[in-house]
Amino acid sequence: MEYREIICPCCGKKVNIPVDPVSENFDFNYSILVNSYDEFFDMVEMCPECGCVFLFDNPIGDDVKEYVASEEYRNILNDPDLEEGLKKWILYAVLSEHVEAFSEAGIAYMKAYDYAELKGMTPDKRFIEKSASCFLSAEEKKLAFTDGLLAADCLRRDGDFERALHILEVLSGMFEGELVEKNIENEKMWIVLKETAKRILDI
């Protein structure tokens, strides 16, 4: 395995991080990350010294450093029953939620759910529920169609069809355009079919 040497943005120590070929020169793209089901799962990196997780070399503030040292974070980090790949996405989700980066938190919880499903584990429904709540929090802050759609999609996957449909109706009244209509129609169709499986979203 190939490694690259970095200075951890959290603890400041020089560490070696495995190089994931998929993540090299990758620009953050919600569509690719949300829709991917296998090849992007190793993109979250973890410092072997302090346990801080990071994605795309995002800057780290003092609030993040404090949370990484917190009992809540360390309990997840040191949980012997959590598979390593799943643990990284959960940690990235709680870290993003802590700093109110709700869109990233929603995607991370979604990827944790997808990861468990892909690896043959029993997916923890709390992940998809948390994903929906994070997207709704992001939607409240900036009224973005993508966050609202992802919230509805997570609720659909959780089997909460009534709430998902309500959000889609709200989005229909707030946004317009061919892509908006296409996504809403697809979600409504899956709801009618009581479909809870992962679907490709045109975002």
Side-chain angles (χ1 to χ4, degrees):
M1 179 177 289
E2 186 180 350
Y3 290 84
R4 65 186 175 98
E5 189 178 82
I6 68 165
I7 301 296
C8 174
C10 183
C11 68
K13 294 182 180 179
K14 188 179 292 184
V15 295
N16 290 316
I17 299 291
V19 174
D20 177 13
V22 174
S23 65
E24 287 190 283
N25 302 315
F26 177 74
D27 292 324
F28 190 83
N29 183 308
Y30 277 2
S31 179
I32 292 174
L33 197 56
V34 165
N35 288 318
S36 65
Y37 201 65
D38 48 18
E39 68 270 30
F40 287 91
F41 278 122
D42 294 328
M43 293 185 71
V44 175
E45 299 172 337
M46 177 187 290
C47 173
E49 291 291 333
C50 68
C52 181
V53 292
F54 36 92
L55 186 64
F56 310 128
D57 297 324
N58 286 345
I60 289 179
D62 289 340
D63 53 346
V64 171
K65 295 177 183 180
E66 290 174 7
Y67 186 63
V68 168
S70 71
E71 183 179 359
E72 181 179 9
Y73 188 92
R74 307 310 289 186
N75 283 341
I76 300 172
L77 178 66
N78 298 320
D79 187 341
D81 297 324
L82 269 181
E83 193 271 346
E84 193 71 9
L86 179 61
K87 180 185 295 185
K88 288 181 180 181
W89 282 105
I90 295 172
L91 287 172
Y92 190 73
V94 297
L95 198 54
S96 299
E97 189 176 13
H98 178 73
V99 298
E100 298 187 355
F102 292 120
S103 294
E104 288 192 25
I107 288 176
Y109 279 120
M110 178 190 290
K111 299 312 289 182
Y113 188 82
D114 291 348
Y115 184 92
E117 199 170 61
L118 180 69
K119 297 296 183 178
M121 309 173 194
T122 300
D124 190 331
K125 292 196 73 174
R126 290 177 298 176
F127 296 152
I128 205 69
E129 291 165 1
K130 287 288 292 182
S131 183
S133 66
C134 285
F135 285 129
L136 287 173
S137 295
E139 162 72 8
E140 289 173 1
K141 289 178 68 175
K142 57 185 177 183
L143 299 176
F145 174 75
T146 300
D147 291 312
L149 179 69
L150 290 173
D153 189 66
C154 288
L155 290 169
R156 172 189 65 79
R157 292 180 67 186
D158 192 35
D160 194 344
F161 302 121
E162 187 174 340
R163 285 183 67 204
L165 193 57
H166 172 71
I167 291 173
L168 293 173
E169 294 296 343
V170 171
L171 293 175
S172 294
M174 294 174 60
F175 301 94
E176 57 184 22
E178 185 177 340
L179 196 59
V180 169
E181 293 176 4
K182 177 183 177 182
N183 276 292
I184 290 176
E185 286 175 7
N186 284 341
E187 286 288 349
K188 286 184 175 179
M189 175 183 66
W190 297 328
I191 288 172
V192 168
L193 295 173
K194 306 295 184 187
E195 179 62 80
T196 58
K198 182 178 179 68
R199 293 296 183 183
I200 300 298
L201 305 177
D202 192 5
I203 60 173

